[in-house]
Amino acid sequence: MRNLLEFLTRYYHWFLFVVLEVISFVLLFQYNNYQGSVWFSSANTFTGKIYEWNAAIESFFSLTKVNEELTTRNVYLERQVQNLSDKLTALTEDPNAAKRGQLELLSSYKLIPAKVVDNSINKRDNLITIDKGTNDGVHKDMGVACGNGIVGIVYMTSANYSVVIPVLNTHSNISVSIQNRGYFGYLHWSGGSSGLAYVDDIPRHAHFRLYDKVVTSGYSSVFPPGLMVGKILHVYNSPDGLSYRLQVELSTDFGNLRDVCVIDDASIKERIEVLRAAQDSIKTKGE
């Protein structure tokens, strides 16, 4: 104890200097807008890099499992595409019909590949950070998906990074439908398991079965129709008894999310602009 006191007595002026420096920097960045903005931008860039390095390390150690899953899914998709191609050829008697249909579908939008550099699944309002921003063509309100299904919607962007509101966020509300049934509702997550979500507002007259697939409806201005969401596990009555509430097992494994794609769809952007114009028009008439 005596040695510690002697040490502090001998070098107290250095400790005092450090404390005063810290206080001065806090005052400088807190009460000066320019210095504060410089600090905020630098801190965001540094934090983003740290997240990116951490994600790269985790991704390296999980490559074996990811590659196995990708290989399995590619084989499945190849078989599915071949079966669909054979059926389309048989119906149209045109061997190039399938190829033209795929090209027409892909020509309506492009995908911006990105990597997840930060992700959480144990909060009520989880957020995901990806390593693509405005410099790469990513903007607010773009949909984000992975190989297994939808992920979320871009909420905020910087030059090189973007923050995504995933399905695992209580503020997420995505229009979905039951595949091949025509009934649609709204997907939301209320906490708990990262593999389960709920679809509300399914009408009482709807006909469907357990394990039917749930996909994006295309009625929202973010996702094109047909993207995988999950499958129905349970059916409940809504609190008011006027509709069904579906428990859905999500197809996306948010706990092992590494690679995603941002959907850049020109038609979706046009729909957003038309929707906003209609909303502004309604507000103007209401006033």
Side-chain angles (χ1 to χ4, degrees):
M1 186 65 182
R2 181 179 177 182
N3 291 336
L4 178 60
L5 291 175
E6 289 181 355
F7 176 80
L8 293 175
T9 302
R10 181 178 299 178
Y11 297 104
Y12 76 94
H13 52 283
W14 289 108
F15 293 109
L16 179 62
F17 172 76
V18 172
V19 170
L20 292 176
E21 283 292 312
V22 171
I23 293 174
S24 64
F25 277 115
V26 170
L27 294 175
L28 175 65
F29 292 120
Q30 186 171 1
Y31 295 103
N32 292 275
N33 292 332
Y34 175 74
Q35 287 83 354
S37 63
V38 171
W39 164 256
F40 181 76
S41 300
S42 302
N44 272 355
T45 301
F46 178 74
T47 303
K49 283 295 181 184
I50 294 297
Y51 285 152
E52 189 174 356
W53 293 336
N54 182 66
I57 294 173
E58 292 181 356
S59 178
F60 175 79
F61 287 105
S62 63
L63 282 179
T64 301
K65 183 178 179 181
V66 171
N67 284 335
E68 290 176 356
E69 292 178 352
L70 287 175
T71 301
T72 303
R73 184 160 182 79
N74 283 339
V75 171
Y76 168 76
L77 290 175
E78 286 291 343
R79 292 179 60 188
Q80 191 175 43
V81 168
Q82 187 59 49
N83 289 336
L84 292 173
S85 178
D86 292 342
K87 291 179 181 178
L88 187 58
T89 300
L91 290 172
T92 62
E93 299 181 354
D94 182 358
N96 296 318
K99 184 179 293 185
R100 285 202 303 272
Q102 292 177 53
L103 291 175
E104 289 174 1
L105 177 63
L106 292 175
S107 65
S108 63
Y109 63 90
K110 69 176 183 178
L111 301 179
I112 304 172
K115 288 191 176 294
V116 174
V117 297
D118 186 46
N119 183 21
S120 64
I121 60 173
N122 55 0
K123 303 175 183 177
R124 283 187 59 81
D125 294 321
N126 297 290
L127 295 173
I128 294 174
T129 304
I130 59 176
D131 66 347
K132 291 293 189 295
T134 54
N135 287 347
D136 307 287
V138 178
H139 302 286
K140 184 179 179 182
D141 295 327
M142 283 184 171
V144 182
C146 66
N148 294 322
I150 64 171
V151 173
I153 300 172
V154 175
Y155 173 66
M156 185 180 297
T157 60
S158 65
N160 299 303
Y161 298 95
S162 298
V163 175
V164 177
I165 293 183
V167 172
L168 304 185
N169 187 303
T170 57
H171 296 288
S172 175
N173 194 34
I174 298 171
S175 178
V176 298
S177 65
I178 303 174
Q179 191 176 50
N180 299 326
R181 302 288 185 177
Y183 304 107
F184 73 94
Y186 294 92
L187 180 76
H188 74 273
W189 185 73
S190 54
S193 172
S194 62
L196 299 174
Y198 295 89
V199 176
D200 285 327
D201 299 333
I202 297 295
R204 298 285 295 185
H205 62 270
H207 297 285
F208 55 87
R209 298 177 180 177
L210 294 181
Y211 307 112
D212 275 354
K213 293 180 180 179
V214 177
V215 297
T216 53
S217 66
Y219 294 151
S220 74
S221 26
V222 177
F223 291 104
L227 294 182
M228 188 65 182
V229 174
K231 61 183 179 181
I232 301 171
L233 289 186
H234 297 288
V235 181
Y236 306 96
N237 287 322
S238 63
D240 57 12
L242 299 178
S243 60
Y244 288 127
R245 187 185 199 209
L246 311 181
Q247 185 185 62
V248 176
E249 181 182 29
L250 297 173
S251 59
T252 299
D253 182 3
F254 285 91
N256 193 34
L257 196 59
R258 295 289 182 271
D259 296 285
V260 298
C261 287
V262 182
I263 303 170
D264 184 5
D265 189 341
S267 64
I268 288 179
K269 183 178 179 182
E270 183 179 353
R271 271 185 280 167
I272 292 176
E273 293 175 352
V274 171
L275 179 61
R276 287 177 177 170
Q279 291 173 340
D280 293 339
S281 176
I282 293 172
K283 289 180 181 179
T284 303
K285 291 181 178 178
E287 294 174 355

